[in-house]
Amino acid sequence: MARITAGVTTSHVPAVGMAVDLGKTQEPYWKPMFEGYEFSKQWMKDNTPDVAIIVYNDHASYFGMEIMPTFAMGIADKYGICDEGYGPRPVPDVVGAPELSTFLAASLIMQDFDMTILNVLDVDHGLTVPMSLMFGTPDKWPTKVIPLPVNVVMNPQPSGERCLALGKAIRKAVQAYDEDLSVQVWGTGGMSHQIQGARAGLVNAPWDKQFMDDLVNDPETLQYKPHLEYMIEAGSEGVELIMWLIMRGAMGDKVDEVYRFYHVPASNTAVGHMIMTPKE
Ligand code: DHB
Ligand code: FE
């Protein structure tokens, strides 16, 4: 039986990817942030999963105003790299897990989550920056990946309740897969950030830290936080955090918190990162 062995959350700030790609991680501005991921890189070496289901959002890099799926799942054997802004990062292609992802997509649809099926997909910084933070700069990524893009960039976005429930459905689906695989679920994005407008650069550290506490201890209440609160308290892009709820739903009722890191600033946002493991 496949097992969910851990959950990871992390911000996916594109400038962090640039710092990696341009060899700037030891510069004074970036060093304290990258030091916060040293524990995680070692932990990931010791706990490399067979497959990581990476919940992230596309930033109108591959999708766009024309087509924007609410919840989608890649079922391909390989994913190319794309991006907005700085352009595609020089990172290895992402290797898929077509058999498992096809099974999961079918299971989720049977559980009433009507996933858009992606036979072709290029992934942007929402997915590649977390990979760099967890794995560094290998020639080949050490794990297979199932991309799970979520729309958090255009109205209407899915509710927190729906996100937590999707995570629970992912847990059921993984546990029904008849092969002994270690599977992690990652939720990327956040924390508080607003990248344009009068409040650009907004960072609300107390709100972010409470969100992390609630994600561990009280996701059943956290799921009801309205999108407007994310926007008011955490900035116009803070709603990316609903993707962390999908990861949390996949962990089951109780978790052990393995690691937490919070750092300001990176670009003009707060960086938050957690590792947790299911208790049962
Ligand atoms: C920025 C972009 C993002 O997608 C994000 O999640 C955080 C920061 C940025 O442009 O700084
Ligand atoms: Fe983003």
Side-chain angles (χ1 to χ4, degrees):
M1 189 180 95
R3 293 157 290 122
I4 294 199
T5 48
V8 173
T9 66
T10 178
S11 307
H12 59 220
V13 185
V16 167
M18 282 301 104
V20 172
D21 301 339
L22 301 174
K24 291 177 184 251
T25 61
Q26 295 311 301
E27 290 188 357
Y29 179 83
W30 289 111
K31 198 165 187 275
M33 199 224 75
F34 282 98
E35 274 173 3
Y37 284 85
E38 283 305 311
F39 170 90
S40 313
K41 279 204 287 192
Q42 186 55 49
W43 184 90
M44 201 52 92
K45 270 196 184 125
D46 300 336
N47 297 275
T48 311
D50 297 305
V51 182
I53 300 171
I54 304 189
V55 179
Y56 78 106
N57 66 289
D58 179 88
H59 301 75
S61 313
Y62 184 77
F63 303 119
M65 297 297 279
E66 301 86 359
I67 297 177
M68 182 57 73
T70 304
F71 294 126
M73 178 168 274
I75 63 164
D77 54 11
K78 200 171 87 174
Y79 304 95
I81 308 298
C82 67
D83 228 311
E84 49 157 358
Y86 300 104
R89 298 184 54 217
V91 293
D93 277 353
V94 170
V95 175
E99 278 184 29
L100 175 60
S101 52
T102 302
F103 177 89
L104 294 182
S107 169
L108 291 175
I109 288 168
M110 294 315 289
Q111 294 182 70
D112 295 333
F113 283 91
D114 304 319
M115 311 299 288
T116 297
I117 303 299
L118 305 169
N119 286 298
V120 184
L121 171 69
D122 294 341
V123 292
D124 79 0
H125 68 268
L127 188 141
T128 63
V129 166
M131 297 270 284
S132 298
L133 286 167
M134 293 298 126
F135 298 128
T137 54
D139 293 335
K140 261 176 52 185
W141 299 119
T143 186
K144 294 180 176 168
V145 169
I146 299 176
L148 199 162
V150 177
N151 169 33
V152 293
V153 300
M154 271 167 58
N155 268 328
Q157 295 109 340
S159 67
E161 295 100 293
R162 196 74 181 137
C163 288
L164 190 72
L166 174 58
K168 292 176 185 175
I170 290 170
R171 181 173 181 80
K172 264 199 201 158
V174 168
Q175 290 179 339
Y177 190 65
D178 194 18
E179 189 184 335
D180 184 27
L181 294 175
S182 158
V183 177
Q184 290 182 1
V185 180
W186 298 11
T188 88
M191 293 208 79
S192 54
H193 62 303
Q194 171 145 348
I195 56 184
Q196 73 259 302
R199 297 200 308 162
L202 176 143
V203 169
N204 186 345
W207 189 93
D208 285 344
K209 289 176 183 173
Q210 186 66 48
F211 186 91
M212 288 183 168
D213 289 346
D214 293 344
L215 191 70
V216 171
N217 298 316
D218 197 9
E220 294 297 330
T221 305
L222 186 61
Q223 67 179 320
Y224 297 112
K225 196 181 278 302
H227 290 347
L228 197 58
E229 181 181 333
Y230 288 90
M231 191 175 269
I232 291 170
E233 297 292 341
S236 53
E237 279 77 40
V239 75
E240 285 186 347
L241 284 168
I242 60 172
M243 297 185 291
W244 293 26
L245 285 167
I246 299 176
M247 178 288 299
R248 182 61 183 85
M251 294 300 111
D253 290 346
K254 295 248 179 313
V255 293
D256 287 313
E257 186 174 335
V258 175
Y259 185 63
R260 182 191 294 209
F261 176 61
Y262 186 78
H263 177 82
V264 179
S267 178
N268 59 4
T269 77
V271 164
H273 166 47
M274 304 176 89
I275 300 176
M276 57 189 76
T277 51
K279 236 188 182 119
E280 70 270 39

